[in-house]
Amino acid sequence: MVGNCIKNVRDTVPLVHNMTNYVTVNDVANILLACGASPIMSDEPKEAEEITAICGGLNINIGTLNKRSIEGMFRAGRRAASLGHILLLDPVGAGASRLRTDTAIQLMEQISFDVIRGNISEMKALANGSKTTKGVDANAADAVTEEALEAAVTFAKTFAKKAGCMVALTGALDLVSDGEACYVIRNGRAEMGKITGTGCQLSGMMTAFLTANPENKLEAAAAAVCAMGLAGELAWERMQQGDGNSTYRNRIIDAIYHMDEEILESGAKYEIW
Amino acid sequence: MVGNCIKNVRDTVPLVHNMTNYVTVNDVANILLACGASPIMSDEPKEAEEITAICGGLNINIGTLNKRSIEGMFRAGRRAASLGHILLLDPVGAGASRLRTDTAIQLMEQISFDVIRGNISEMKALANGSKTTKGVDANAADAVTEEALEAAVTFAKTFAKKAGCMVALTGALDLVSDGEACYVIRNGRAEMGKITGTGCQLSGMMTAFLTANPENKLEAAAAAVCAMGLAGELAWERMQQGDGNSTYRNRIIDAIYHMDEEILESGAKYEIW
Amino acid sequence: MVGNCIKNVRDTVPLVHNMTNYVTVNDVANILLACGASPIMSDEPKEAEEITAICGGLNINIGTLNKRSIEGMFRAGRRAASLGHILLLDPVGAGASRLRTDTAIQLMEQISFDVIRGNISEMKALANGSKTTKGVDANAADAVTEEALEAAVTFAKTFAKKAGCMVALTGALDLVSDGEACYVIRNGRAEMGKITGTGCQLSGMMTAFLTANPENKLEAAAAAVCAMGLAGELAWERMQQGDGNSTYRNRIIDAIYHMDEEILESGAKYEIW
């Protein structure tokens, strides 16, 4: 029952600590509020441990990492892990620079994440050390399409096992796996790729979903992916002539604001492989 | 005449220096432009004093403070005070970490602010050292409701006297006091709490209102609170089916853009205790 | 054929590295996506050279410069120049602080930019060391109006020659010159000045236009200016009663999202002096 997962967010109002990039941070905060969670942002090492301690989940996104915030990420990550909090890693641009790839890999080595969420180019960079990343968007050659689905599911399961945590691999199709099962999710629209930060927003929301559904993490991660994709579909129906990516961004967050258990349950399109 | 206060902003176009968090900074800039002011953002210590010197008001918001920006805040704050500029402190998340509480208290000790604006949890953290802050939102137990109004007014007056400056305490009801009088303001809507940064926006706008009305600071601070709440009411009337918190954010700034003396004067709902 | 310039952006999807301020960075990313380019943001010195190496253009905007990001700008700038990439400088607030003026001038001395884009107050600060800048907006006395046009064209040409690169001087009228020819552009609306970051957005988009049209840089720079101004005109036509600067911001990016070769070619209003 993926629908139940958003209900639990609204019922428990999880406080999510976001160490995220300054490009899309405002949208991350607003989508967390829209889904019923409460966001706090902080990346200063001097307070990172204390801030994360009062939260239930920690969302680490390396989109505009810097020397100071990296230190904060390790500090907050270790503390959150020691407290049994939900931990998510969004390795934005892994593969695009050594600093990004190394930071993501070291975070994975030193901190036990619940889930890593990224596009397939980023995941391959972490899994294989391959450098196919073109900026922060997935390489076309890496696209998860119906044709390449079986290979992608195998990759997701293998990488999840190797990483020792769930993997949420988002693209044309979205995959969420814990190494055993794999949700294949068909919500969403290609036009979402023309908005900056839909991935970052999903990472924030997924952290909230896991925090509110700790007994049911795989389903919660899949539910967050379904919710984001479904919001993209519902928002698109409200687009009027002349509306473009900036308005679409607002409408997606608005759609999350109105999403309840029934809407998510009936609109989620997934199968389990 | 609270309405006159926004007219004076539009007539004098005050330049406001904002040392504010990277989460809501774009909305702060746009609402300052919407109300007729001119924003500039800078938090680098090396230029903080020079930048603030060309402005009329300084808005210090510790929402995503870091070691570097804290140094900038002290430098700019001291210079602005020495020049007789308007100074506002928004102690975002005071009580949520020692760094935030200590920084806010030290700023209050070393710099003479005109007004401190925050929610009641933050204010209590500053007043009592109590740690009831849950993230950046006010604790439910701290809500300023009709039932708790008298106690809240007493708190606002007492804290204003102790701090030696005006206090703007925003929540379900909003209070603005200089230690003697206290404006009790009933504009606004609960849904504004589902938008990130309405408080930060108010802090920016309040700095502009005070800068443009230096002879009448208490009324100017109250006028800014009324303007923000009234914008929330007017924006809500324009909400259409399916609109959520992201669109609401835009409509609130839009409502400020169209707010003139008459709209504010006739829509402001306040009494003076 | 300015229209062709946007077609080339959509056809080649240039990857643009933005070292830009945290105030308007989200809008810069979204307008780059809207025009068909792909944005990446990074200002950490440790990865600046590597990130810029995978891009085609580099947009340096000093709107919220700090000690760390300045080091990143010099590193990325030198690498981008050595690789023959497109380089744009947006000297936000030059003249408002010594740090801004000096950083912009040192960047110009050490790195060969293709184009400098700013308002006339900023340009004068760079050209003459004059300090007429009031915050980040152009001084009224500096406005490029029909009356002051001839003098402004002369200034643009002279400054372009002196700086050894193109100059894009934006205001009521926009000028783009390589020292020989000067495009005088009459697209745009005054209300765009009530939105934070239309200049920053233009700088991002101009970098993409030049990257996609390397054989035709002067026309590409002018085309970007025409596109931004035309988007402001088209967006204004879609404004409804009660819409203000926040909605206008969204509609401008939306208008770029829908702009194609024909729309730009037929809507561009310019002459070459």
Side-chain angles (χ1 to χ4, degrees), chain C residues 17-35:
Chain C
H17 179 195
N18 300 277
M19 312 189 86
T20 190
N21 67 77
Y22 57 80
V23 184
T24 65
V25 60
N26 184 268
D27 294 327
V28 171
N30 272 328
I31 207 163
L32 277 165
L33 288 163
C35 76

Side-chain angles (χ1 to χ4, degrees), chain C residues 38-62:
Chain C
S38 182
I40 185 166
M41 276 68 181
S42 163
D43 58 18
E44 166 57 40
K46 280 189 175 180
E47 68 165 9
E49 290 152 305
E50 219 177 333
I51 291 290
T52 220
I54 60 170
C55 297
L58 173 60
N59 168 30
I60 295 182
N61 172 310
I62 64 169

Side-chain angles (χ1 to χ4, degrees), chain B residues 156-171:
Chain B
K157 288 185 176 177
T158 307
F159 183 46
K161 269 186 198 144
K162 184 181 164 191
C165 69
M166 294 189 294
V167 166
L169 208 156
T170 53

Side-chain angles (χ1 to χ4, degrees), chain C residues 8-115:
Chain C
N8 289 338
V9 176
R10 297 200 189 278
D11 287 350
T12 60
V13 194
L15 185 55
V16 176
H17 179 195
N18 300 277
M19 312 189 86
T20 190
N21 67 77
Y22 57 80
V23 184
T24 65
V25 60
N26 184 268
D27 294 327
V28 171
N30 272 328
I31 207 163
L32 277 165
L33 288 163
C35 76
S38 182
I40 185 166
M41 276 68 181
S42 163
D43 58 18
E44 166 57 40
K46 280 189 175 180
E47 68 165 9
E49 290 152 305
E50 219 177 333
I51 291 290
T52 220
I54 60 170
C55 297
L58 173 60
N59 168 30
I60 295 182
N61 172 310
I62 64 169
T64 52
L65 81 183
N66 61 52
K67 202 181 157 188
R68 179 180 51 71
S69 66
I70 291 170
E71 186 192 337
M73 290 170 186
F74 279 95
R75 285 202 191 192
R78 286 193 206 100
R79 175 64 63 89
S82 78
L83 293 169
H85 291 182
I86 293 297
L87 277 142
L88 179 145
L89 174 64
D90 186 338
V92 180
S97 79
R98 181 136 299 282
L99 181 67
R100 290 176 189 236
T101 311
D102 288 353
T103 299
I105 288 174
Q106 286 164 18
L107 283 166
M108 289 167 65
E109 286 171 352
Q110 296 184 29
I111 297 160
S112 179
F113 287 93
D114 290 286
V115 57

Side-chain angles (χ1 to χ4, degrees), chain C residues 5 15 61 71 97 100 134 136 158 165 169 185 192 198 217 221 223 229 238 240 265:
Chain C
C5 294
L15 185 55
N61 172 310
E71 186 192 337
S97 79
R100 290 176 189 236
K134 189 202 173 207
V136 293
T158 307
C165 70
L169 208 157
I185 298 163
M192 297 173 78
T198 47
K217 292 180 189 173
R238 296 189 64 236
Q240 296 172 3
E265 187 64 36

